[in-house]
């Protein structure tokens, strides 16, 4: 059993191998699997597998050869028949070939013309196709060329904004269709140059526009200011006309009294102003703003609007600085100020127009900033140049120009409060110029006055005087001719004060201030006129050498009347400002102190001049202190002095005494002057007697001196000025009389003796020079 088992296994192994080789051959035959895999499965077996496989392969080949041979044997007879038939056909094929060749030759000969015509047709078709293509391309290119031609024409006629629109159409619509052509590339390369050219031309036009508005700014401003002024006058007249429908409009005449206005006159003014207003040009009529619009549009289309805005603002700022720069002699004439204001108004009118007709070129913040800068410069310029003005009329015209200037710009929306604040500074300058002008007027009036009471021949002359000056004297009789107490300068000064108030009121008009404020301003300026200008003129007048005692007395009387007229001036101010009498004023007229100080100065000057005149007479004294006998009458110089004093004091007594105040005033001044004169005369004579240079006095000389003292005492006792009680005036010479008596007693006792004394004391010493040890003391 053990020996049989391996043989069986080997049998099955051999059988399995044959099956494997069959399978591999089937796979190779039908290629069911990749050859590499199949062959791999063969070589993976035993070492002799290759040989056995090859044997199997050869057997398979032999089988296939036998099958092929069988198939060829089966079809051999048919093949032979076919060859036989083919040989039969060969002769016919030769004939057919000859016929075909001949036919082909004839066909080729006949087709040469057709070929030639066909080529011509092909060439024509090619040309036709080319022409069609060219036409199509030309139809595509012609709109581009036409639009480019239109662009060049627009450039020639300076329609730059339209040219830019055409460029956009060319770039966005036309060029993409024909971009492959050379001419299109040339056009595309040329468009940026055209844009730059448009920008340069537009900028050049803008520069011309800026130069144009710089030249026309003054005219534009003049027109704008004129329109604003006419509108203001029209509104004021319309308001007055409306007031007339409810009642009669009133105005203040030169004497402060209200008078009616004529309604027909107002209506006629309104009609004339309306007709004139229709003829006034506007700023837009003088300047062509199209370059600005065109340039703005162009730069906007070119996406460079910011560059244009910056350039425009920069150039306008430069022009603003030039406009704000005044001429050095602007303060000399009103035309200089008018031209300066017109240029500024014209500049900002143009800016306001640009602000409202363009979008974003300038903004309100920009114009406000520019105006604030300009306003600071304007205020500084006006403050400087107005300080040079010395003519009040020029300052007033400047104020009116500033008001019109402010009203005009306020109408365009610019704030002008600082200008009205400046007007109050200029108002102080205006008042200063008025004060200087009125100081000259006052001096002229004082120089032309004769300082005599005003003579009145009849009632008509009296009414003329009281129409100029509020002289109220109920006790004055109606007998003519007569003399009014004041001189001609009083009504003239009063008229000039009223004129000053009118002049000051002219500046206060149109300042947008209440009547109360205007009233207080008038009172303050009038106070300055009275307390500074008129007071200074009076003080200078009183100090003038040619003003005598009579003139000084008349000045005292004049100042009294002017002081009394101050209440009428207050009423006058109240009337022209339409302020109620019950209104509490912050300012009052201080004429009382002004004229009181003038009277005190005049009184002091009277006393001084009177004493100076006495000194002049005393200097004429020529005593012979060694004379043996007196002349028997008083010295001539002393009699002349006494006569002068009598005539001088008669000036006081001859003054009109129908007014109690005048009588009291003249009496007080006369009494004081008389007492001062007598005291000064007594002191002067005493100094003469006690002079240190006097070495010796004789009895005749002292007797002559006694005659002079007697005349002085007689003058004092004659009551040269009424009003002294008892012997008040004689007391002025009592010291002189005692010294004279003492000197007489000493001379009688000791003979001729020198008299030595010290003035200014109440004790005098009489020294006998011949006996130095003897000294007499007299206590007075």
């Amino acid at each position: 059993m053990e020996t049989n088992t391996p043989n069986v296994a080997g049998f099955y192994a051999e059988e399995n191998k044959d099956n494997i080789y069959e399978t591999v051959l089937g796979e190779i035959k039908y290629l069911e699997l990749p050859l590499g895999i199949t062959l791999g499965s063969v070589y993976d077996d035993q070492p002799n597998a290759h040989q056995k496989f090859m044997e199997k392969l050869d057997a398979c080949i032999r089988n296939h050869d036998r099958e092929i041979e069988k198939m060829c044997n089966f079809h051999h007879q048919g093949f032979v028949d076919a060859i036989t038939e083919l040989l039969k056909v060969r002769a016919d094929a030769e004939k057919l070939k000859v016929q075909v060749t001949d036919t082909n030759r004839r066909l080729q000969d006949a087709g040469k013309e057709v070929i030639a015509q066909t080529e011509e047709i092909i060439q024509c078709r090619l040309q036709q196709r080319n022409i069609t293509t060219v036409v199509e391309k030309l139809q595509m290119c012609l709109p581009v060329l036409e639009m480019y031609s239109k662009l060049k024409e627009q450039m020639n006629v300076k329609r730059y904004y339209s040219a830019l629109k055409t460029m956009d159409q060319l770039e966005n619509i036309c060029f993409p269709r024909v971009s492959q052509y050379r001419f299109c590339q040339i056009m595309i390369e040329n468009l940026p140059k055209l844009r730059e050219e448009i920008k340069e031309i537009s900028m050049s036009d803008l520069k011309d526009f800026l130069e144009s508005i710089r030249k026309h700014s003054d005219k534009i401003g003049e027109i704008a200011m004129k329109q604003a002024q006419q509108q203001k006058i029209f509104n004021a007249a319309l308001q007055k006309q409306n007031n007339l429908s409810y009642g009669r409009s009133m105005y203040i005449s030169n004497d402060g009294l209200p008078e009616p206005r004529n309604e027909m006159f107002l209506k006629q003014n309104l009609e004339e102003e309306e007709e004139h207003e229709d003829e006034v040009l506007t700023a837009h009529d003088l300047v062509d703003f199209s370059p600005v619009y065109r340039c703005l549009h162009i730069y906007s289309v070119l996406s460079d609007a910011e560059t244009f805005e910056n350039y425009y603002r920069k150039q306008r700022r430069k022009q603003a600085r030039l406009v704000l720069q005044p001429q050095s002699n602007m303060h000399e004439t009103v035309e200089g100020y008018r031209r300066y204001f017109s240029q500024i108004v014209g500049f900002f009118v143009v800016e306001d127009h640009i602000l409202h007709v363009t979008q974003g070129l300038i903004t309100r913040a920009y114009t406000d900033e520019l105006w604030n800068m300009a306003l600071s410069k304007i205020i500084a310029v006006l403050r400087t140049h107005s300080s040079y003005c010395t003519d009040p009329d020029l300052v007033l015209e400047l104020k009116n120009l500033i008001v019109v200037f402010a009203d005009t710009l306020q109408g365009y929306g610019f704030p002008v409060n600082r200008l009205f604040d400046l007007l109050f500074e200029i108002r102080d300058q205006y008042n200063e110029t008025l004060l200087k002008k009125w100081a000259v007027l006052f001096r002229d009036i004082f120089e032309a006055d004769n300082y005599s009471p005003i003579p009145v021949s009849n009632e008509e002359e009296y009414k003329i005087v009281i129409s100029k000056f509020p002289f109220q004297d109920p006790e004055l009789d109606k007998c003519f001719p007569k003399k009014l107490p004041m001189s001609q300068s009083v009504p003239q000064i009063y008229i000039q004060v009223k004129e000053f108030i009118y002049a000051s009121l002219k500046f206060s008009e149109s300042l947008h201030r209440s009547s109360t404020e205007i009233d207080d301003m008038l009172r303050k300026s009038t106070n300055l006129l009275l307390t500074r200008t008129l007071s200074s003129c009076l003080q200078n007048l009183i100090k003038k050498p040619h003003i005598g005692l009579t003139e000084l007395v008349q000045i005292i009387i004049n100042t009294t009347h002017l002081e009394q007229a101050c209440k009428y001036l207050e009423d006058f101010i109240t009337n022209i400002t339409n302020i109620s009498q019950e209104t509490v004023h912050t300012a009052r007229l201080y004429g009382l102190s002004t004229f009181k100080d003038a009277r005190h100065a005049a009184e002091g000057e009277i006393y001084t001049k009177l004493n100076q005149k006495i000194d002049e007479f005393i200097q004429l004294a020529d005593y012979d202190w060694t004379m043996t006998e007196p002349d028997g009458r008083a010295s001539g110089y002393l009699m002349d002095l006494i006569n002068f004093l009598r005539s001088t004091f008669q000036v006081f007594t001859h003054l009109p005494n129908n007014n109690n105040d005048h009588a009291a005033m003249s009496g007080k001044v006369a009494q004081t002057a008389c007492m001062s004169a007598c005291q000064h005369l007594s002191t002067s004579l005493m100094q003469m007697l006690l002079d240190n240079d006097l070495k010796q006095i004789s009895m005749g000389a002292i007797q002559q001196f006694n005659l002079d003292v007697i005349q002085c005492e007689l003058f004092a006792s004659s009551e040269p000025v009424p009003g002294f009680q008892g012997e008040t005036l004689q007391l002025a010479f009592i010291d002189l009389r005692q010294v004279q008596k003492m000197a007489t007693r000493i001379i009688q006792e000791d003979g001729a003796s020198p008299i030595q004394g010290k003035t200014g004391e109440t004790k005098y010493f009489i020294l006998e020079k011949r006996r130095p040890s003897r000294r007499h003391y007299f206590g007075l």
Side-chain angles (χ1 to χ4, degrees):
M1 292 297 293
E2 296 177 357
T3 58
N4 294 331
T5 303
N7 293 330
V8 175
F11 173 80
Y12 283 107
E14 288 293 333
E15 186 176 359
N16 289 336
K17 289 181 180 178
D18 293 338
N19 294 334
I20 292 172
Y21 295 148
E22 293 291 338
T23 303
V24 170
L25 289 175
E27 292 175 357
I28 291 173
K29 183 177 180 180
Y30 298 104
L31 297 175
E32 294 178 356
L33 291 173
L35 183 60
I37 298 173
T38 304
L39 293 177
S41 65
V42 174
Y43 289 98
D44 287 342
D45 273 333
Q46 298 177 2
N48 295 325
H50 174 69
Q51 185 178 357
K52 293 180 178 181
F53 175 73
M54 293 301 295
E55 292 176 355
K56 281 289 185 182
L57 182 61
D58 291 337
C60 182
I61 293 170
R62 289 192 295 270
N63 290 334
H64 280 290
D65 288 339
R66 285 193 294 270
E67 289 178 359
I68 292 170
E69 186 177 356
K70 288 179 180 181
M71 186 176 291
C72 287
N73 290 332
F74 176 79
H75 292 290
H76 177 72
Q77 185 62 38
F79 178 74
V80 171
D81 293 339
I83 292 299
T84 300
E85 291 178 0
L86 182 62
L87 290 175
K88 292 179 180 179
V89 174
R90 180 177 181 180
D92 294 333
E94 289 294 338
K95 293 179 181 180
L96 180 62
K97 179 178 179 183
V98 173
Q99 292 176 356
V100 169
T101 302
D102 184 59
T103 302
N104 181 55
R105 181 184 54 79
R106 292 195 307 268
L107 182 61
Q108 291 296 328
D109 292 340
K112 288 181 180 179
E113 294 182 3
V114 176
I115 291 172
Q117 293 178 359
T118 301
E119 289 178 355
E120 291 179 1
I121 291 173
I122 292 172
Q123 190 66 31
C124 289
R125 292 288 177 86
L126 289 175
Q127 292 177 356
Q128 184 178 6
R129 186 181 62 183
N130 291 338
I131 290 172
T132 302
T133 303
V134 169
V135 170
E136 292 176 355
K137 299 302 182 181
L138 286 176
Q139 288 177 348
M140 190 179 350
C141 294
L142 278 177
V144 179
L145 296 173
E146 290 175 355
M147 190 166 292
Y148 192 81
S149 175
K150 178 182 177 182
L151 171 63
K152 299 298 288 184
E153 182 181 356
Q154 289 171 342
M155 291 289 293
N156 293 332
V157 297
K158 299 182 179 181
R159 295 174 57 192
Y160 302 116
Y161 181 72
S162 300
L164 290 174
K165 291 296 184 181
T166 304
M167 289 182 192
D168 290 339
Q169 292 180 1
L170 285 171
E171 287 182 330
N172 299 325
I173 300 175
C174 299
F175 284 165
R177 300 175 183 175
V178 293
S179 58
Q180 68 273 20
Y181 300 111
R182 187 168 175 267
F183 78 88
C184 181
Q185 296 298 326
I186 296 174
M187 291 180 182
I188 292 174
E189 293 174 358
N190 198 31
L191 289 185
K193 298 178 181 178
L194 292 177
R195 284 194 174 93
E196 289 300 323
E197 181 182 352
I198 290 174
K199 289 178 66 174
E200 292 177 0
I201 294 174
S202 300
M203 191 59 69
S204 177
D205 291 343
L206 178 65
K207 292 177 181 178
D208 294 340
F209 165 78
L210 294 175
E211 184 66 24
S212 174
I213 60 175
R214 181 182 176 185
K215 294 179 180 178
H216 291 87
S217 289
D218 54 347
K219 186 64 176 178
I220 296 171
E222 181 182 353
I223 291 174
M225 292 175 66
K226 185 180 297 184
Q227 289 176 338
Q229 189 174 13
Q230 289 175 354
Q231 185 64 35
K232 184 177 180 181
I233 295 173
F234 176 78
N235 292 337
L238 185 61
Q239 181 65 33
K240 291 180 180 180
Q241 189 181 35
N242 292 335
N243 293 336
L244 287 174
S245 62
Y246 297 99
R248 301 180 67 185
S249 177
M250 310 298 288
Y251 77 99
I252 304 302
S253 64
N254 290 336
D255 56 0
L257 299 177
E259 295 182 2
R261 294 294 300 266
N262 190 338
E263 182 177 357
M264 294 301 295
F265 177 74
L266 286 176
K267 189 177 297 184
Q268 182 180 0
N269 281 346
L270 287 174
E271 293 174 354
E272 292 177 355
E273 289 161 6
E274 289 175 354
E275 293 177 357
H276 183 69
E277 187 176 3
D278 294 336
E279 301 173 357
V280 176
L281 298 175
T282 62
H284 191 71
D285 298 328
L286 294 176
V287 179
D288 180 16
F289 289 92
S290 58
V292 180
Y293 311 147
R294 183 166 54 248
C295 199
L296 177 60
H297 288 313
I298 289 172
Y299 274 79
S300 299
V301 171
L302 296 175
S303 301
D304 201 11
E306 184 177 357
T307 301
F308 172 71
E309 293 170 5
N310 294 334
Y311 177 81
Y312 177 84
R313 296 181 183 184
K314 180 179 179 181
Q315 294 301 317
R316 289 298 280 166
R317 285 182 184 275
K318 290 182 179 179
Q319 288 190 346
R321 295 187 181 96
L322 293 176
V323 166
L324 295 172
Q325 189 66 31
Q327 295 181 354
S328 59
N329 60 344
M330 184 179 70
H331 61 277
E332 296 178 359
T333 61
V334 69
E335 290 302 322
Y337 288 106
R338 193 188 308 278
R339 185 165 51 252
Y340 180 67
F341 289 138
S342 297
Q343 290 178 352
I344 296 174
V345 170
F347 177 88
F348 283 99
V349 166
V350 170
E351 290 302 285
D352 182 77
H353 181 79
I354 295 294
L355 174 65
H356 287 88
V357 299
T358 60
Q359 295 294 332
L361 179 56
I362 60 175
T363 62
R364 174 57 68 180
Y366 162 80
T367 55
D368 290 343
E369 178 187 358
L370 196 62
W371 168 245
N372 290 330
M373 181 273 292
L375 189 59
S376 300
K377 179 66 175 178
I378 292 168
I379 291 175
V381 168
L382 293 179
R383 186 179 287 121
T384 300
H385 283 264
S386 64
S387 62
Y388 299 145
C389 294
T390 58
D391 184 5
D393 295 332
L394 179 58
V395 178
L396 182 61
E397 290 180 347
L398 172 60
K399 168 258 176 183
N400 294 331
L401 282 177
I402 293 176
V403 171
V404 175
F405 173 73
D407 290 341
T408 302
L409 289 175
Q410 190 175 30
Y412 285 92
F414 296 99
V416 294
N417 292 333
R418 292 173 61 188
L419 286 175
F420 285 102
D421 294 337
L422 173 67
L423 284 175
F424 284 94
E425 299 180 20
I426 298 179
R427 183 182 184 278
D428 296 335
Q429 173 68 19
Y430 175 70
N431 284 336
E432 289 298 324
T433 58
L434 285 181
L435 293 176
K436 293 179 181 179
K437 178 180 179 180
W438 257 256
V440 176
L441 293 175
F442 288 154
R443 286 196 296 267
D444 293 341
I445 291 173
F446 289 141
E447 289 293 335
D449 194 11
N450 57 7
Y451 297 98
S452 300
I454 300 176
V456 178
S457 302
N458 48 49
E459 188 173 357
E460 286 74 14
E461 293 182 1
Y462 175 76
K463 290 181 179 179
I464 292 174
V465 174
I466 63 175
S467 65
K468 298 178 180 179
F469 181 76
F471 177 72
Q472 302 294 334
D473 190 1
E475 298 182 359
L476 183 67
D477 55 4
K478 298 299 181 179
C479 297
F480 297 101
K482 61 172 77 272
K483 291 184 178 181
L484 301 181
M486 64 279 189
S487 65
Q488 288 288 350
S489 62
V490 173
Q492 294 176 0
I493 292 293
Y494 182 79
I495 292 174
Q496 289 302 323
V497 172
K498 288 172 61 177
E499 291 297 329
F500 175 87
I501 295 173
Y502 275 123
S504 182
L505 177 63
K506 289 180 181 178
F507 195 95
S508 301
E509 295 174 347
S510 304
L511 293 185
H512 306 297
R513 296 293 175 174
S514 64
S515 299
T516 303
E517 291 177 309
I518 294 176
D519 184 270
D520 289 334
M521 286 189 291
L522 288 180
R523 293 175 185 273
K524 290 178 181 178
S525 59
T526 306
N527 278 331
L528 285 177
L529 179 70
L530 296 178
T531 59
R532 195 173 76 182
T533 304
L534 182 56
S535 177
S536 176
C537 291
L538 286 172
Q539 296 293 338
N540 293 333
L541 174 66
I542 292 170
K543 297 296 183 181
K544 286 184 179 296
H546 68 276
I547 298 298
L549 297 176
T550 304
E551 288 82 0
L552 290 171
V553 173
Q554 187 63 53
I555 289 173
I556 294 174
I557 296 173
N558 291 346
T559 55
T560 303
H561 284 282
L562 290 173
E563 178 184 339
Q564 294 173 352
C566 284
K567 62 179 181 179
Y568 297 101
L569 291 176
E570 287 194 352
D571 295 339
F572 174 75
I573 295 175
T574 301
N575 289 333
I576 64 175
T577 55
N578 294 325
I579 297 298
S580 175
Q581 295 287 349
E582 291 77 15
T583 304
V584 178
H585 300 288
T586 58
R588 292 284 182 181
L589 296 185
Y590 302 111
L592 180 63
S593 60
T594 298
F595 300 116
K596 183 179 294 185
D597 294 341
R599 283 197 299 274
H600 290 166
E603 291 173 5
E605 193 67 18
I606 288 175
Y607 309 146
T608 301
K609 287 185 177 294
L610 192 58
N611 293 339
Q612 290 175 352
K613 199 66 176 177
I614 292 174
D615 292 338
E616 292 176 2
F617 281 100
I618 293 297
Q619 290 176 0
L620 298 176
D622 187 18
Y623 284 101
D624 182 8
W625 297 106
T626 61
M627 61 189 309
T628 57
E629 296 291 337
D631 293 339
R633 62 179 182 277
S635 301
Y637 83 92
L638 185 63
M639 295 305 298
D640 294 338
L641 173 58
I642 291 175
N643 292 330
F644 166 75
L645 292 177
R646 290 184 186 278
S647 61
T648 300
F649 294 132
Q650 284 180 356
V651 174
F652 297 93
T653 58
H654 291 166
L655 291 175
N657 56 3
N658 49 3
N659 189 302
N660 293 332
D661 294 335
H662 293 160
M665 181 274 299
S666 59
K668 179 180 178 182
V669 173
Q671 293 170 11
T672 306
C674 186
M675 177 59 74
S676 174
C678 291
Q679 290 176 349
H680 187 72
L681 176 59
S682 176
T683 302
S684 299
L685 292 175
M686 192 179 300
Q687 289 176 352
M688 187 185 300
L689 188 62
L690 301 176
D691 188 3
N692 292 332
D693 295 334
L694 183 61
K695 305 301 182 181
Q696 190 174 5
I697 300 177
S698 64
M699 179 58 68
I702 200 66
Q703 290 176 353
Q704 181 64 40
F705 190 80
N706 179 50
L707 293 176
D708 295 340
V709 174
I710 292 173
Q711 290 298 324
C712 292
E713 291 174 341
L714 291 174
F715 172 74
S717 61
S718 66
E719 195 176 6
V721 174
F724 286 107
Q725 296 180 355
E727 298 180 352
T728 303
L729 191 59
Q730 289 88 326
L731 294 177
F733 296 100
I734 190 171
D735 292 344
L736 177 62
R737 171 55 68 187
Q738 291 183 7
V739 170
Q740 186 270 329
K741 288 182 178 179
M742 293 174 188
T744 302
R745 187 180 308 119
I746 292 173
I747 293 173
Q748 289 176 350
E749 293 177 356
D750 302 325
S753 302
I755 299 178
Q756 184 178 357
K758 295 181 179 180
T759 61
E761 301 178 359
T762 57
K763 297 179 180 180
Y764 295 90
F765 296 87
I766 299 178
L767 175 65
E768 182 182 3
K769 197 170 185 179
R770 290 178 302 178
R771 291 195 292 260
S773 61
R774 184 177 179 181
R775 188 182 299 272
H776 297 270
Y777 173 80
F778 301 94
L780 302 179

